[in-house]
Structure formats: structure tokens, C-alpha cells
């Protein structure tokens, strides 16, 4: 071949192709938004159908029957804080997988409600609990705040820690891609793990559960509460948003644009309680997108009262918000 061109001779055509793909995605997203909102109009009449849709969307093992055998738990006592004993626990989820966490329980024999306190990205249960030099950073003493009330707490460790700070190298994106290749996802496996932890604690006599989470932990809180109706009340801080604006691979699932985004998923919590928190100056999740998603939620709920869902935009950043007595009201919800 004798004909020659410069490398960028067709750059304009390639740019046009990229622009076309982006425009295709934008128009497709708009069409699927309308389809998703229309389909969700029956969500309050058919919650189990949509709950199964969510399970299938996230993937295995949520779309299979939960094992009936109670998971094994191994507990190592770390110390005491007043009348509360602190344990490091390991809960067997699969033969190959163990869920680790920190368990705070009162020393008397009385059974209290249990709150799952879920850390976020780059976090650990120890960090969220203030074990690291007494600093809980943007968690603002989240676990300590819960323990002010007459409840026990379980704080699980998910695949989200800061490798540079806490060691144990991993690649969440690669693990998620491999799981999706097998009809699963990292969210599916970890939501399932939290559900199995609830099975374990239920076998110990707990009958009432709540869940609280920040950032990634907030998304886990929404998904787990939507699927597991044993969770009576939850606080989801700094994750509720318009998913079209955030293309984080592990937060998106096959065909989720036509099925369930944040607003539709939250509807599956009804009539149980959820308190959604958004920081007006959050540098990670723009509060305007969260407000827009809440408008979608309100429209879906136009034939349902909204006293089960509290939406707060607070003057703050990407942090757990203690205002509006959110934790106090959650404890009241699960103590009835």
C-alpha cells in the first residue's frame, strides 16, 4: 500500500464517533429513566416482585435461596468500655469466605436491638469506632453515637479499606469484574454476607435490627434494608443520588438503568423507616443530584404517605450527620 496519511488525519471523524457514543448513551439513559419510572409505579403494590428484581440485578448469591444453616461465629474479646464488651468476630459466610467485624454488646443477659454500623470507602470498623488514635474522621463518632443508647452494635469489615494505611492489598474493581463475569458482583456478595450476619445474630436472640452507614456504607445500607425486611429502620448518609451522574463500575449493574436506581430501591424499604442524609457541600456526591433523585422518589410516592422517609440536606461535607436526632429516632423505631 503506497497511500500515506498523518496519524491524526481522521481525528475529526474519531471525535465525531466518540461524541456519537456519548450522545447515544445520554439519549438511551433518558429513555430508560422514563421506562424505569413508569415500571416502578406498581412498586408499592408488588414489593416482592421488585425485591426479587433487585436480587437478580445485583446477582448471585442474592438470587438463590439463603442457606438455612446458621453461620458459625468465632469471637475474640478485645476489652471493655464500661458495661460494654468489645469483640472481634469472624462469621462464616461460605466455606471460602469469612466476614470479620467488631461487635459491641452489653454484659448483662438482656437482649437489646442490634444496629449494624457500616463504614465507607477507605474505612474499617476500627476506624469508624474511633479505635485508631481516637479519631473517627468524617464518621464523627458514628459508632459512639449509637452506643449512647441501649442497643448493641455490629460493625462489619467490607472490601473498602485504605491499603496504604491498613495493609492487605486488593483490587476491588478487578474482584467486582470477575464476580460479574460469573453472574455476581461485589455488592451482591457483601450484602449477602451482612444478611447472613443478621441470621447469625438472630440465632442469638436478637429480634430487632437497624442499620446505619456512611458513603459506600450508606449504599450498602439502602440495598441491604431494601432486601432484608428484618431491618426496621436505617440511616443512609451521603450516597443517595442520580446514578446516571456516577459511573462507578461497582455501583452499576446489568440493565439497572431500566430497573432500579436509588429512588426505586428506597421504595422497597416502605413502610419501614429510612433517614436519608446529604451534605450540601459534599465534594464526592453533588447534593443537587441527590435532591433531584429525591424529587423522583416523591413522585413515586405520590399515593403513599412520606412519614416513613426523612430527607435531610445538611450544612456539611461528606460526613455522618448527627442532627435531627437521627440516631435517637432510629433507636426508637427498632425498640418498639
Amino acid at each position: 500500500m503506497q497511500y500515506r496519511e498523518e496519524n491524526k488525519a481522521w481525528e475529526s471523524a474519531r471525535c465525531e464517533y466518540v461524541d456519537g457514543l456519548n450522545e447515544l448513551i445520554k439519549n438511551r439513559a433518558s429513555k430508560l429513566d422514563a421506562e424505569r419510572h413508569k415500571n416502578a409505579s406498581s412498586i408499592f403494590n408488588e414489593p416482592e416482585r421488585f425485591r426479587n428484581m433487585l436480587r437478580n440485578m445485583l446477582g448471585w448469591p442474592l438470587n438463590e435461596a439463603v442457606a438455612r444453616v446458621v453461620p458459625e461465629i468465632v469471637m475474640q474479646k478485645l476489652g471493655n468500655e464500661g458495661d460494654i464488651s468489645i469483640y472481634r468476630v469472624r462469621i462464616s459466610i461460605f466455606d471460602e469466605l469469612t466476614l470479620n467485624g467488631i461487635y459491641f454488646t452489653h454484659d448483662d443477659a438482656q437482649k437489646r436491638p442490634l444496629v449494624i454500623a457500616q463504614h465507607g470507602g477507605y474505612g474499617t470498623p476500627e476506624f469508624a469506632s474511633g479505635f485508631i488514635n481516637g479519631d473517627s474522621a468524617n464518621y464523627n463518632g458514628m459508632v459512639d453515637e449509637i452506643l449512647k443508647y441501649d442497643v448493641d452494635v455490629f460493625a462489619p469489615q467490607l472490601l473498602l479499606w485504605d491499603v496504604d494505611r491498613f495493609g492487605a492489598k486488593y483490587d476491588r474493581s478487578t474482584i467486582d469484574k470477575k464476580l460479574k463475569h460469573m453472574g455476581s458482583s461485589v455488592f451482591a456478595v457483601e450484602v449477602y454476607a451482612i444478611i447472613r450476619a443478621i441470621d447469625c445474630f438472630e440465632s442469638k436472640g436478637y429480634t430487632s435490627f437497624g442499620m446505619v452507614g456512611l458513603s459506600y456504607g450508606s449504599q450498602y445500607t439502602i440495598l441491604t434494608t431494601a432486601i432484608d425486611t428484618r431491618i426496621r429502620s436505617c440511616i443512609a448518609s451521603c450516597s443517595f443520588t442520580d446514578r446516571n451522574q456516577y459511573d462507578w463500575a461497582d455501583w452499576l449493574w446489568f440493565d439497572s438503568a431500566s430497573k432500579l436506581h436509588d429512588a426505586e430501591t428506597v421504595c422497597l424499604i416502605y413502610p419501614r423507616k429510612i433517614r436519608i442524609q446529604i451534605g450540601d457541600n459534599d465534594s464526592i456526591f453533588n447534593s443537587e443530584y441527590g435532591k433531584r433523585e429525591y424529587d423522583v422518589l416523591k413522585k413515586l410516592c405520590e399515593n403513599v404517605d412520606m412519614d416513613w422517609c426523612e430527607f435531610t440536606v445538611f450544612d456539611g461535607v461528606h460526613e455522618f450527620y448527627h442532627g435531627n436526632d437521627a440516631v435517637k429516632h432510629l433507636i426508637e423505631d427498632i425498640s418498639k
Side-chain angles (χ1 to χ4, degrees):
M1 183 69 66
Q2 300 300 314
Y3 179 75
R4 298 289 185 271
E5 284 187 345
E6 295 295 326
N7 289 339
K8 294 186 177 181
W10 269 42
E11 182 179 14
S12 61
R14 295 185 182 97
C15 288
E16 181 183 355
Y17 185 61
V18 173
D19 291 343
L21 283 172
N22 286 327
E23 190 67 14
L24 176 70
I25 290 169
K26 176 183 175 183
N27 292 337
R28 179 69 175 162
S30 179
K31 179 181 178 180
L32 292 180
D33 281 347
E35 181 180 322
R36 188 178 68 255
H37 299 160
K38 180 181 178 181
N39 291 340
S41 62
S42 63
I43 197 167
F44 294 106
N45 296 324
E46 303 177 279
E48 287 310 311
R49 181 170 76 84
F50 282 89
R51 197 165 279 120
N52 285 332
M53 184 187 299
L54 178 59
R55 293 188 185 102
N56 288 326
M57 190 178 83
L58 296 177
W60 178 90
L62 292 171
N63 53 9
E64 292 186 355
V66 176
R68 294 191 175 276
V69 177
V70 175
E72 179 184 351
I73 183 170
V74 177
M75 301 173 54
Q76 174 193 1
K77 188 165 184 179
L78 302 178
N80 286 81
E81 291 282 347
D83 64 344
I84 296 174
S85 290
I86 306 170
Y87 294 88
R88 180 166 279 116
V89 301
R90 294 166 54 83
I91 300 173
S92 178
I93 307 303
F94 298 105
D95 290 343
E96 311 90 339
L97 184 66
T98 298
L99 180 68
N100 300 298
I102 305 296
Y103 174 44
F104 302 83
T105 181
H106 290 73
D107 290 330
D108 58 36
Q110 180 181 344
K111 284 303 174 188
R112 297 165 172 81
L114 182 75
V115 177
I116 299 160
Q118 192 54 66
H119 67 82
Y122 298 103
T124 67
E126 296 86 355
F127 190 43
S129 302
F131 287 6
I132 313 297
N133 298 322
D135 177 21
S136 65
N138 59 334
Y139 295 97
N140 294 332
M142 184 175 78
V143 171
D144 281 342
E145 180 67 19
I146 299 168
L147 287 171
K148 289 179 181 178
Y149 300 91
D150 194 24
V151 296
D152 292 346
V153 171
F154 174 57
Q157 174 70 72
L158 301 185
L159 193 72
L160 292 167
W161 62 87
D162 182 346
V163 170
D164 291 337
R165 185 170 190 182
F166 299 108
K169 291 183 180 180
Y170 67 96
D171 185 332
R172 181 180 172 91
S173 177
T174 297
I175 290 172
D176 187 53
K177 284 185 283 189
K178 289 180 177 179
L179 286 168
K180 284 177 176 171
H181 181 59
M182 294 180 268
S184 184
S185 65
V186 70
F187 264 104
V189 171
E190 295 193 316
V191 168
Y192 180 84
I194 296 170
I195 290 171
R196 292 296 280 148
I198 293 174
D199 292 342
C200 179
F201 286 109
E202 188 175 49
S203 75
K204 290 183 171 296
Y206 290 99
T207 59
S208 182
F209 300 90
M211 188 165 179
V212 173
L214 170 67
S215 191
Y216 260 95
S218 169
Q219 187 69 2
Y220 276 98
T221 295
I222 290 172
L223 292 170
T224 308
T225 306
I227 290 172
D228 194 328
T229 57
R230 291 174 295 183
I231 302 174
R232 295 186 187 178
S233 184
C234 68
I235 300 172
S237 189
C238 298
S239 80
F240 182 83
T241 192
D242 176 358
R243 288 294 141 209
N244 290 325
Q245 306 302 321
Y246 294 91
D247 56 356
W248 299 6
D250 58 330
W251 293 55
L252 301 174
W253 304 278
F254 179 75
D255 206 21
S256 56
S258 71
K259 292 183 171 67
L260 299 158
H261 275 192
D262 285 16
E264 292 82 17
T265 304
V266 164
C267 287
L268 293 174
I269 296 173
Y270 174 85
R272 295 165 294 141
K273 304 284 189 178
I274 181 171
R275 290 170 179 83
I276 301 169
Q277 303 178 341
I278 293 176
D280 211 15
N281 299 300
D282 192 327
S283 61
I284 297 177
F285 293 110
N286 188 310
S287 62
E288 293 306 312
Y289 296 138
K291 295 172 188 176
R292 188 161 71 189
E293 189 71 2
Y294 185 62
D295 287 338
V296 174
L297 176 60
K298 285 193 294 183
K299 188 170 183 179
L300 289 170
C301 297
E302 57 188 6
N303 295 319
V304 177
D305 65 76
M306 289 294 291
D307 62 354
W308 60 281
C309 179
E310 178 183 288
F311 181 74
T312 301
V313 180
F314 62 90
D315 182 16
V317 294
H318 193 70
E319 60 183 325
F320 186 77
Y321 178 61
H322 291 302
N324 292 355
D325 290 326
V327 173
K328 175 184 176 184
H329 293 312
L330 176 137
I331 304 304
E332 290 171 350
D333 295 338
I334 65 177
S335 299
K336 294 175 182 177

